C-alpha cells in the first residue's frame, strides 16, 4: 500500500481561490508543470525560492508514493524586455552587449542555473524542455487557434483575439480580473498598434531585420510569443488536461491567464486542474532589485562575498530558512533571519546525531505514532512546511531530554524516530546533513570560526598582540571580522 492511500492532501487552488482535496486525474500518477527560468542572467534568489517550493512539493509527492512526471521548462527564445509585446529580446540584448551568440548566453546561464540548484540539493525534473526545441509545436497551436477563429494575422504577426474569446469563455478567471475593467483602464493609441484591442497578446511576432533569434513560419520569419511555449510544452508532455501547474505569483497575470486562454481556444477545455503559486522573496523588508542594490545572488550567500550579510551561509541553511515560511506567503531575507535559521538547522542536525547514541529504556512518554501523523497533517494542509518544522523540533526536544537523562525512549520508538525524521528532513524538506555537504565555503567557515575562538581566548587572557595579529592577518586575506553583542562574525571581501 502506498502512503498516499492513507493521507488526504489539500492544496490551495488559485483558480478557485480555496483549498481543495487533491485528486489526480489518474490514481497514483501526477503530472506537474512549472514555469522555468529565462536564461539571460544569473538565477535570481527569488526565482530559487519558487523553484525550491515546487522541488519540495515534488519531493512530498514522491515520498507519498506517487509516480510524478515533473516538467520544468527552460525559456531560451527570450522574452521581450519587461515582458512587453514590443522591444528587444532579453537574450538577444545580452548577446549584443557581450558580443556573444545568443545560444552562448543561453548555455552560460543554463549551466549557472543548474549549478545553483544542485547546491540547493534540488531533484532534477523528469523533463526539462526548451522553448527553441518546440517551435514546430508552437506553430501548430497557432494554426489551430487561427482556424477556430480566436486569432488573427497582421503584417506577419499573429495575435490572440481576447474579446472574441471572452464571448464564449472567461478571460481573467485565474487572476480575478474582468475584461471590461481592463479595457476601461487601457489608453488606446490609435494607429500605433496593429492589434484589434490592447488586451490582445502575441502568439507570433514578425522579426525585424535586426532581430537575431528568428524562425520560419507560415506568416513569415519571426518568433513565438512568451505565453505560447508553456502551453505547447505542458500539453505535449502532460496531455491536454493535467494535474498541477505551478509558478511564481508574478506569473498569474498575464502569463498563466494567457496560457489558459490559449489552451481553451485550441483544445476546448481548461488545461489545468490545480493552479499553485509561490509568493515572493523580499530582503530587509524591501523588494529585491538590482537597481537599488537591495539584491543578492545565491552564490554570494554561499561564499560570503557580499556587503549585505555578516558571513557565508551553507546552501542547506538557506534552504532551511526558506522552508520555515509557507510557500504562499511573502518571506523576508535578512542577516538576522539567516543567523537564526543557522542555529535552528544546527540544532536539528545535532539532534539527529544524538539520536544514534541514545540509550534505550522500557517506556517513553513521547507518542511517536501521534507525532508522525501530525507531521503528515502539516504537509497534507497545502504543504505547510513551517508546521512540519515545528513538529520536527518537538522530536528534537524529546531527544535532548532523553540525552540529558530526563526522559526515556524504547528501542522501537528510537528506530521509528530515525526513519521518520530522516524521511521528512532529507527526503521531503531536501536538507543535507553537514557531513554530506563539504563545500569550500563550509570549510572556510569552519577555519575562520576556529580562528575567531582562538582570538577570543587570546583577548580573554589579555593577549592583545595575538588577538590583533589574527584580526589583521585575516584582513590581509580579505576576511573582515565584526565584533558585536552576539559575538564575532566575518565577511569575505
Amino acid at each position: 500500500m502506498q502512503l498516499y492511500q492513507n493521507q488526504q492532501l489539500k492544496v490551495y487552488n488559485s483558480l478557485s481561490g480555496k483549498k481543495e482535496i487533491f485528486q489526480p486525474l489518474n490514481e497514483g500518477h501526477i503530472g506537474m508543470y512549472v514555469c522555468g527560468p529565462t536564461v539571460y542572467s544569473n538565477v535570481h534568489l527569488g526565482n530559487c525560492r519558487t523553484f525550491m517550493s515546487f522541488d519540495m512539493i515534488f519531493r512530498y509527492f514522491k515520498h507519498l508514493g506517487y509516480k510524478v512526471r515533473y516538467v520544468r521548462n527552460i525559456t531560451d527564445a527570450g522574452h521581450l524586455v519587461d515582458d512587453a509585446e514590443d522591444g528587444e529580446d532579453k537574450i538577444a540584448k545580452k548577446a549584443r552587449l557581450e558580443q556573444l551568440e545568443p545560444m552562448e548566453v543561453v548555455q552560460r546561464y543554463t549551466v549557472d542555473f543548474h549549478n545553483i540548484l544542485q547546491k540547493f540539493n534540488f531533484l532534477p525534473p523528469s523533463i526539462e524542455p526548451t522553448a527553441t526545441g518546440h517551435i514546430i509545436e508552437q506553430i501548430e497551436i497557432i494554426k489551430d487557434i487561427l482556424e477556430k477563429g480566436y486569432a488573427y494575422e497582421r503584417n506577419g504577426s499573429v495575435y490572440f483575439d481576447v474579446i472574441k474569446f471572452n464571448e464564449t469563455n472567461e478571460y481573467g478567471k485565474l487572476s480575478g480580473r474582468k475584461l471590461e475593467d481592463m479595457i476601461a483602464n487601457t489608453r488606446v493609441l490609435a494607429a500605433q498598434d496593429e492589434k484589434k484591442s490592447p488586451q490582445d497578446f502575441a502568439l507570433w511576432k514578425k522579426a525585424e531585420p535586426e532581430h537575431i533569434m528568428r524562425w520560419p513560419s507560415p506568416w513569415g520569419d519571426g518568433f513565438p510569443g512568451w505565453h505560447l511555449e508553456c502551453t505547447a510544452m505542458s500539453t505535449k508532455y502532460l496531455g491536454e488536461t493535467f494535474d498541477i501547474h505551478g509558478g511564481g505569483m508574478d506569473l498569474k497575470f498575464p502569463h498563466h491567464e494567457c496560457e489558459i486562454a490559449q489552451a481553451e481556444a485550441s483544445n476546448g477545455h481548461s488545461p489545468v486542474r490545480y493552479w499553485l503559486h509561490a509568493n515572493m522573496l523580499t530582503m530587509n523588508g524591501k523588494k529585491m532589485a538590482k537597481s537599488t542594490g537591495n539584491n543578492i545572488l545565491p552564490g554570494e550567500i554561499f561564499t560570503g562575498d557580499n556587503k549585505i550579510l555578516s558571513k557565508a551561509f551553507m546552501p542547506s541553511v538557506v534552504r532551511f530558512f526558506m522552508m520555515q515560511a509557507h510557500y504562499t506567503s511573502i518571506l523576508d531575507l535578512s542577516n538576522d533571519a539567516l543567523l537564526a535559521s543557522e542555529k535552528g538547522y544546527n540544532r536539528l542536525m545535532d539532534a539527529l546525531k544524538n539520536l544514534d547514541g541514545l540509550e534505550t529504556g522500557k517506556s517513553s512518554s513521547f507518542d511517536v505514532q501521534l507525532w508522525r501523523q501530525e507531521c503528515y497533517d502539516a504537509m497534507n494542509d497545502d504543504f505547510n512546511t513551517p508546521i512540519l518544522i515545528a513538529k520536527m523540533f518537538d522530536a528534537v526536544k524529546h531527544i535532548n531530554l532523553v540525552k540529558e537523562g530526563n526522559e526515556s525512549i524504547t528501542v522501537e520508538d528510537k528506530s521509528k524516530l530515525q526513519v521518520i525524521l530522516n524521511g521528512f528532513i532529507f527526503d521531503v524538506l531536501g536538507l543535507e546533513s553537514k557531513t554530506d555537504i563539504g563545500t569550500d565555503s563550509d570549510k572556510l567557515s569552519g577555519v575562520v570560526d576556529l580562528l575567531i575562538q582562538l582570538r577570543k581566548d587570546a583577548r580573554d587572557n589579555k593577549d592583545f598582540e595575538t588577538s590583533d595579529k589574527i584580526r589583521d592577518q585575516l584582513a590581509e586575506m580579505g576576511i573582515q571580522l565584526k565584533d558585536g553583542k552576539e559575538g564575532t562574525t566575518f565577511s569575505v571581501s
Side-chain angles (χ1 to χ4, degrees):
M1 181 180 284
Q2 300 292 355
L3 276 171
Y4 65 78
Q5 293 174 314
N6 291 327
Q7 306 295 333
Q8 186 179 79
L9 173 64
K10 287 187 176 181
V11 301
Y12 182 82
N13 189 349
S14 298
L15 191 60
S16 64
K18 61 185 180 183
K19 286 181 189 176
E20 298 176 7
I21 295 171
F22 176 73
Q23 293 178 317
L25 270 169
N26 301 300
E27 186 179 345
H29 295 76
I30 292 171
M32 180 168 77
Y33 184 90
V34 173
C35 295
T38 303
V39 282
Y40 71 100
S41 64
N42 297 106
V43 64
H44 191 278
L45 192 63
N47 287 341
C48 286
R49 188 204 175 189
T50 295
F51 301 135
M52 193 179 291
S53 296
F54 289 100
D55 179 64
M56 172 271 296
I57 289 168
F58 179 37
R59 284 171 171 276
Y60 187 56
F61 283 143
K62 287 170 70 72
H63 176 80
L64 290 178
Y66 284 108
K67 290 183 178 177
V68 189
R69 178 176 286 178
Y70 174 24
V71 183
R72 187 187 65 216
N73 73 302
I74 294 282
T75 295
D76 58 351
H79 296 177
L80 296 177
V81 177
D82 298 325
D83 298 329
E85 293 283 318
D86 298 293
E88 191 170 7
D89 180 295
K90 287 179 178 178
I91 291 172
K93 181 180 181 182
K94 187 80 169 183
R96 179 175 57 77
L97 290 172
E98 298 192 12
Q99 295 186 312
L100 298 169
E101 279 288 331
M103 282 302 152
E104 283 185 81
V105 173
V106 165
Q107 178 68 11
R108 176 189 295 177
Y109 294 114
T110 300
V111 169
D112 168 74
F113 174 67
H114 287 147
N115 284 343
I116 293 297
L117 265 54
Q118 188 174 30
K119 285 179 179 169
F120 274 129
N121 196 31
F122 278 56
L123 296 177
S126 315
I127 305 173
E128 193 173 52
T130 63
T132 56
H134 295 77
I135 299 295
I136 292 170
E137 288 85 349
Q138 293 177 72
I139 288 172
E140 289 304 310
I141 290 174
I142 296 170
K143 286 170 157 179
D144 195 33
I145 295 173
L146 275 166
E147 190 178 312
K148 288 172 179 171
Y150 293 114
Y152 56 93
E153 187 264 340
R154 289 282 189 279
N155 304 319
S157 293
V158 181
Y159 297 98
F160 190 90
D161 192 333
V162 170
I163 293 176
K164 177 71 182 294
F165 173 78
N166 203 56
E167 290 172 3
T168 51
N169 298 272
E170 185 185 352
Y171 181 77
K173 62 184 173 185
L174 179 67
S175 58
R177 303 183 185 210
K178 296 291 182 187
L179 184 57
E180 312 86 73
D181 297 335
M182 293 185 231
I183 292 170
N185 293 325
T186 302
R187 184 165 60 97
V188 180
L189 302 176
Q192 289 186 25
D193 200 321
E194 54 196 13
K195 295 188 285 187
K196 287 182 182 178
S197 165
Q199 278 67 45
D200 295 349
F201 56 89
L203 297 173
W204 188 264
K205 284 289 286 182
K206 177 184 178 181
E208 299 304 323
E210 67 275 9
H211 201 94
I212 307 171
M213 300 184 82
R214 58 203 296 140
W215 293 266
S217 81
W219 315 285
D221 279 8
F223 52 95
W226 168 32
H227 316 299
L228 193 62
E229 63 181 270
C230 289
T231 297
M233 290 184 275
S234 62
T235 54
K236 175 170 182 173
Y237 296 111
L238 299 175
E240 290 184 1
T241 303
F242 55 95
D243 297 303
I244 291 174
H245 194 314
M249 205 78 79
D250 56 320
L251 296 180
K252 193 183 286 188
F253 186 90
H255 185 52
H256 291 161
E257 200 72 75
C258 294
E259 275 192 65
I260 291 174
Q262 289 165 164
E264 289 185 350
S266 177
N267 302 322
H269 53 79
S270 194
V272 180
R273 303 182 75 215
Y274 305 92
W275 285 90
L276 274 56
H277 289 94
N279 217 323
M280 67 187 291
L281 183 71
T282 59
M283 189 160 70
N284 295 320
K286 297 175 184 175
K287 184 179 179 182
M288 293 181 75
K290 287 181 185 177
S291 57
T292 61
N294 195 52
N295 185 60
I296 191 167
L297 293 172
E300 294 171 339
I301 298 178
F302 306 154
T303 62
D305 187 12
N306 63 82
K307 297 179 181 178
I308 295 167
L309 304 175
S310 61
K311 55 170 285 189
F313 291 94
M314 297 186 302
S316 264
V317 168
V318 182
R319 183 167 183 129
F320 181 69
F321 158 73
M322 292 194 185
M323 291 292 111
Q324 286 179 291
H326 193 268
Y327 78 96
T328 61
S329 64
I330 294 173
L331 175 61
D332 189 56
L333 178 83
S334 69
N335 190 65
D336 288 347
L338 284 175
L339 286 170
S341 290
E342 187 174 55
K343 287 180 181 175
Y345 167 80
N346 287 333
R347 276 185 65 210
L348 198 56
M349 293 303 147
D350 289 344
L352 275 177
K353 189 177 176 182
N354 291 334
L355 180 57
D356 282 334
L358 290 185
E359 291 186 10
T360 56
K362 293 182 179 179
S363 64
S364 175
S365 65
F366 190 72
D367 190 333
V368 176
Q369 282 303 108
L370 176 63
W371 168 81
R372 173 184 179 273
Q373 189 53 50
E374 287 173 344
C375 292
Y376 279 107
D377 289 344
M379 288 303 292
N380 292 338
D381 184 18
D382 194 29
F383 316 102
N384 201 323
T385 54
I387 300 297
L388 174 66
I389 289 170
K391 294 297 170 187
M392 295 294 100
F393 280 105
D394 285 347
V396 168
K397 184 179 178 183
H398 181 66
I399 290 165
N400 291 337
L401 286 170
V402 175
K403 182 174 179 278
E404 292 158 7
N406 297 318
E407 268 286 3
S408 63
I409 189 168
T410 64
V411 173
E412 185 183 5
D413 280 357
K414 178 181 173 179
S415 177
K416 284 180 182 176
L417 262 184
Q418 285 174 319
V419 171
I420 298 164
L421 282 170
N422 281 311
F424 280 111
I425 293 170
F426 301 125
D427 296 346
V428 176
L429 294 176
L431 302 179
E432 291 182 285
S433 68
K434 294 176 186 177
T435 53
D436 291 335
I437 298 167
T439 62
D440 290 342
S441 63
D442 304 331
K443 292 172 186 173
L444 173 66
S445 293
V447 171
V448 177
D449 286 343
L450 175 62
L451 289 169
I452 286 171
Q453 185 59 48
L454 290 173
R455 177 172 173 260
K456 181 180 182 297
D457 292 344
R459 292 172 78 184
D460 290 346
N461 294 325
K462 302 194 184 303
D463 182 2
F464 299 114
E465 184 180 350
T466 301
S467 160
D468 292 346
K469 187 177 181 180
I470 292 172
R471 181 199 62 206
D472 294 343
Q473 289 194 355
L474 284 173
E476 285 174 16
M477 291 185 283
I479 299 168
Q480 307 294 327
L481 299 186
K482 297 178 185 176
D483 295 317
K485 292 179 181 178
E486 301 295 320
T488 302
T489 58
F490 75 92
S491 62
V492 181
S493 58

